[in-house]
Amino acid sequence: LLPRADSKQRQPDWADGLPPDFLERLAHQLNESCSTEEWDTVQNVYNASAVCRTWRAAIRRACFERSALRTSQNTPRASRKRAVRRTLSDRMLCHPSQLIERLATTEDTIHCYIVREKTRGPFSYKRYRLVLGEDYSKQGKTLLVANHHLLATKSAYNIYLSSSEEAYSSSKRLGHLQSSPYGTTFELHSATKMSGSGSVRRTKSGNIKYSFNMLGGRGPRSVQVNLADEEALGAGGVGPDEHPPREESSGAGDGWGHDEPETVLENKLPRWHELLQCWCLDFGGRVKCASVKNFQLVSRDDPDEIILQFGKVEPDVFTMDFKPKLLSAQQAFMICLSSFDSKLSCF
């Protein structure tokens, strides 16, 4: 008798005949060999997961799934410690979903750099690439790509995962940054996936405000960043094409339905160096060129802790260091992109 055409038969697997312990040891070895400085080691993990379903399941258990919380029954409940195995996604940025969420890794500071690419011709444009890595002289992993569009009355940046032409579609756009006509206010829009329909909706996730500088080009810029709560965005927010009724209010959280935003960041004020006759900030050796674009953002609660640091090292290369506990990679990237625009209040 011939089997029915609609009957599901298990396809032969490359892992058939291999001992299960061998796959588990191989997956753990790949997890331990991954390094933030060598992206080829991370690529080996994805290459192994593409072999077959059995290999993919072993890689998922070893590199991306957290182990269950284990506690000792002999110790008191108050003194029990949670033993959680650190997976690959806990140690470093290795998956696209980590770019749009806070607390993506357990790292204290993530070191990146931004490369500015210019094109010449009648239809010239600028492209910015966010690259993972502490040393900008080496070729690192490209995380995000932003295309700059200069419109009639404002400037806009579209954020994508890849620089290929197939990725430049509205459905694959992760974020959007647009400025006011004077270039002093920027609105951040992020893509959120709706739980019911699975469609992507873009909501306003924050704003950036540059205040007026009385010293013009001789003085430092003053910037304030207001970010909305991620839980509020997931429940529903204001889309970029929606215009809710506005109320006259001076609060920093206008536009989200809250009295105050979740996170407020301000730039760290530089000090005047009498010997050099210029404004100076301590970037820890990560910045080499003086520029009005260089800044450091701190929170109001702890002015000494630097949340985001951005500075120039070459004519078209800029370093970007941020703390993932308060900022996602996409949010930090959009904040730094706002520094490239010319501003009437800051020159």
Side-chain angles (χ1 to χ4, degrees):
L1 295 177
L2 297 177
R4 295 179 58 183
D6 57 348
S7 62
K8 296 183 179 180
Q9 296 182 355
R10 182 180 181 275
Q11 299 295 329
D13 207 325
W14 283 96
D16 291 343
L18 292 178
D21 297 341
F22 170 77
L23 290 180
E24 295 297 332
R25 288 197 301 266
L26 176 62
H28 285 288
Q29 182 65 27
L30 290 175
N31 183 20
E32 295 174 358
S33 63
C34 290
S35 174
T36 56
E37 298 179 357
E38 298 180 1
W39 186 257
D40 294 339
T41 58
V42 183
Q43 190 64 38
N44 294 334
V45 174
Y46 286 95
N47 293 337
S49 63
V51 174
C52 60
R53 293 188 299 269
T54 306
W55 284 55
R56 186 180 301 111
I59 293 296
R60 184 185 299 111
R61 290 192 300 268
C63 301
F64 298 101
E65 288 185 358
R66 290 186 177 182
S67 59
L69 299 179
R70 295 174 296 178
T71 57
S72 177
Q73 301 296 334
N74 299 328
T75 57
R77 179 175 300 180
S79 61
R80 291 178 184 177
K81 295 183 180 180
R82 296 182 177 182
V84 182
R85 174 173 51 84
R86 293 186 63 195
T87 60
L88 177 61
S89 57
D90 291 330
R91 301 199 314 265
M92 58 181 295
L93 291 176
C94 61
H95 196 272
S97 62
Q98 296 177 273
L99 302 176
I100 58 177
E101 60 183 11
R102 303 179 190 174
L103 295 174
T105 66
T106 58
E107 296 178 88
D108 180 61
T109 304
I110 298 179
H111 301 281
C112 307
Y113 60 92
I114 299 176
V115 180
R116 178 173 55 185
E117 300 175 353
K118 302 178 182 179
T119 59
R120 297 180 180 179
F123 301 99
S124 61
Y125 66 95
K126 296 180 182 178
R127 178 185 298 169
Y128 301 87
R129 294 189 298 111
L130 177 64
V131 185
L132 178 64
E134 186 174 357
D135 189 0
Y136 63 92
S137 61
K138 299 180 181 179
Q139 185 176 1
K141 173 63 177 178
T142 300
L143 301 179
L144 296 171
V145 177
N147 289 337
H148 178 226
H149 302 278
L150 188 59
L151 306 178
T153 58
K154 61 183 180 180
S155 179
Y157 296 86
N158 294 325
I159 314 298
Y160 303 93
L161 275 177
S162 174
S163 58
S164 60
E165 296 295 336
E166 293 79 6
Y168 294 160
S169 61
S170 58
S171 60
K172 297 182 179 180
R173 187 173 57 187
L174 295 180
H176 179 73
L177 177 71
Q178 63 181 14
S179 68
S180 62
Y182 295 100
T184 56
T185 304
F186 292 82
E187 291 185 355
L188 286 71
H189 300 274
S190 302
T192 57
K193 189 175 182 179
M194 308 300 293
S195 58
S197 60
S199 59
V200 177
R201 181 184 181 184
R202 290 169 182 84
T203 57
K204 181 179 177 181
S205 58
N207 58 55
I208 307 170
K209 298 180 181 179
Y210 288 86
S211 60
F212 185 75
N213 185 7
M214 299 299 295
L215 299 178
R218 297 174 296 174
R221 293 177 175 179
S222 179
V223 57
Q224 178 180 340
V225 180
N226 304 314
L227 300 176
D229 186 8
E230 290 184 346
E231 297 181 357
L233 293 177
V238 180
D241 299 330
E242 301 176 3
H243 303 279
R246 298 184 177 179
E247 297 180 359
E248 296 296 331
S249 175
S250 59
D254 295 344
W256 293 301
H258 308 92
D259 295 335
E260 293 183 0
E262 178 69 13
T263 305
V264 179
L265 303 178
E266 296 177 345
N267 66 310
K268 188 175 182 179
L269 296 179
R271 60 181 180 84
W272 178 258
H273 199 287
E274 294 293 342
L275 182 61
L276 299 178
Q277 292 294 307
C278 63
W279 298 96
C280 296
L281 277 173
D282 184 12
F283 289 94
R286 292 280 291 164
V287 178
K288 297 183 179 180
C289 301
S291 175
V292 70
K293 300 179 179 64
N294 303 342
F295 66 85
Q296 291 177 338
L297 293 184
V298 296
S299 62
R300 292 180 174 178
D301 300 332
D302 189 1
D304 296 330
E305 183 182 12
I306 300 175
I307 306 300
L308 173 61
Q309 177 177 284
F310 177 76
K312 187 176 183 180
V313 292
E314 287 187 0
D316 291 321
V317 180
F318 303 81
T319 58
M320 187 191 83
D321 305 334
F322 69 98
K323 293 186 178 296
K325 67 177 182 179
L326 288 178
L327 288 177
S328 65
Q330 178 182 333
Q331 290 175 337
F333 187 38
M334 289 194 291
I335 293 173
C336 295
L337 288 176
S338 66
S339 180
F340 288 101
D341 268 26
S342 58
K343 304 164 182 61
L344 295 180
S345 64
C346 308
F347 302 98

